[in-house]
Amino acid sequence: MSIDRRVLLRGMGWAAAAGAGLTLAADAAGRAGEDGSAPPSRPRARPERPLRWSSAAPAVEPRTFWQEKPPPRRKPERTADEVRAVFIHHTIGPNDYTRPEVPGLIRTFAVDHVDNRQWDDIGYNFLVDRGGVIYEGRAGGIENPVVGAHTLGFNVGTVGIAALGDFSDGATVPEAMVDSLARLIAWKLGLYGVDPRGTTTLVSTNDGSRYKKGTRQIFRTVSGHRDGYSTRCPGGALYGALPRIRERAARLQGRPDSP
């Protein structure tokens, strides 16, 4: 008796069903961002010294999962010295997509960012689907502090993670997605010793953000797109889930419970 793949994936969870085939491989063809700030001198990956608060790397599907062919290389990837915060986004669009449809969805965003917005690559560093599978977005190496094009004015030293779907007020954020967001955040911030429940000061690089260029602004280390730009993104439902995502990420780093 044959078993429909969709039924199998629903039963196992997309992340679990795909886990054996996932890899941390990264495409080295990095791309430039959109806010015009000068790139740091050289790429820099995780710190050499072991960190007290850290978390295991989650499984991440490489760009080859969704990218039909590498785009022409125009500029080297831009990297910061460190990662200080994460900005969470949602992509809008349907929430009932199947996993085989995900590559096409991500390609659609990449085409929009490159062809319509004239960026050199997809803006998000990572994307997470409703089944909890994590995908590499912008090129440059998933361990590196690659400068994305996700939160105008605050792309340097931050990571942009997009949840596939529309998570406006009233929507349900799948638990598998919440869990994968927490795992990705715990690992990525943990590479630099950053507490997912903490705050950090970022400097705006663009007047088009919520804060004029040069403004020093305090952000949660796990913030929503709306915190840095005039938008409703990542939707009321996902934004409301950020407190428990922060707490879960902190626990994954081995930090004590907050008071």
Side-chain angles (χ1 to χ4, degrees):
M1 179 178 68
S2 63
I3 301 176
D4 184 79
R5 178 175 173 78
R6 296 184 185 180
V7 174
L8 177 64
L9 289 175
R10 289 194 195 101
M12 297 177 63
W14 291 354
L22 302 184
T23 176
L24 293 177
D27 179 3
R31 300 292 171 246
E34 96 292 5
D35 63 11
S37 56
S41 58
R42 62 187 176 85
R44 183 176 175 183
R46 72 166 77 184
E48 294 296 330
R49 66 186 185 283
L51 295 169
R52 179 181 180 187
W53 309 117
S54 60
S55 181
V60 179
E61 284 279 19
R63 286 173 63 104
T64 51
F65 180 83
W66 59 266
Q67 189 176 59
E68 294 177 316
K69 61 180 181 179
R73 185 181 177 87
R74 291 186 285 179
K75 296 180 181 178
E77 66 273 9
R78 300 168 63 238
T79 57
D81 288 333
E82 60 184 346
V83 170
R84 303 175 65 183
V86 169
F87 283 101
I88 303 299
H89 305 253
H90 69 163
T91 60
I92 309 298
N95 290 352
D96 60 351
Y97 53 83
T98 63
R99 186 164 186 254
E101 294 173 322
V102 171
L105 291 173
I106 299 178
R107 283 195 297 272
T108 298
F109 306 135
V111 168
D112 175 59
H113 292 180
V114 174
D115 291 351
N116 297 335
R117 307 191 190 194
Q118 301 299 302
W119 301 345
D120 280 359
D121 197 359
I122 190 171
Y124 310 120
N125 298 100
F126 298 93
L127 303 97
V128 179
D129 72 22
R130 68 188 184 94
V133 180
I134 303 169
Y135 304 88
E136 177 186 14
R138 176 164 288 240
I142 62 172
E143 290 190 350
N144 293 330
V146 177
V147 178
H150 50 85
T151 306
L152 185 67
F154 298 102
N155 290 313
V156 178
T158 68
V159 173
I161 305 174
L164 292 172
D166 186 343
F167 300 102
S168 301
D169 291 333
T172 298
V173 184
E175 194 61 26
M177 175 178 280
V178 168
D179 185 64
S180 289
L181 285 169
R183 291 181 182 278
L184 178 58
I185 290 166
W187 167 69
K188 192 67 180 182
L189 292 184
L191 293 177
Y192 301 89
V194 177
D195 188 339
R197 301 167 305 191
T199 61
T200 189
T201 300
L202 302 176
V203 180
S204 175
T205 62
N206 196 298
D207 287 335
S209 76
R210 286 189 63 181
Y211 306 95
K212 291 183 178 180
K213 183 176 180 179
T215 301
R216 296 173 60 83
Q217 181 64 29
I218 296 175
F219 288 93
R220 300 294 299 262
T221 53
V222 178
S223 291
H225 187 190
R226 64 175 66 179
D227 295 319
Y229 188 76
S230 296
T231 176
R232 294 182 179 179
C233 181
L238 184 51
Y239 193 79
L242 293 187
R244 64 190 179 103
I245 291 173
R246 295 183 188 111
E247 289 292 336
R248 189 174 300 186
R251 289 197 300 271
L252 288 167
Q253 287 184 349
R255 296 179 185 271
D257 291 340
S258 58

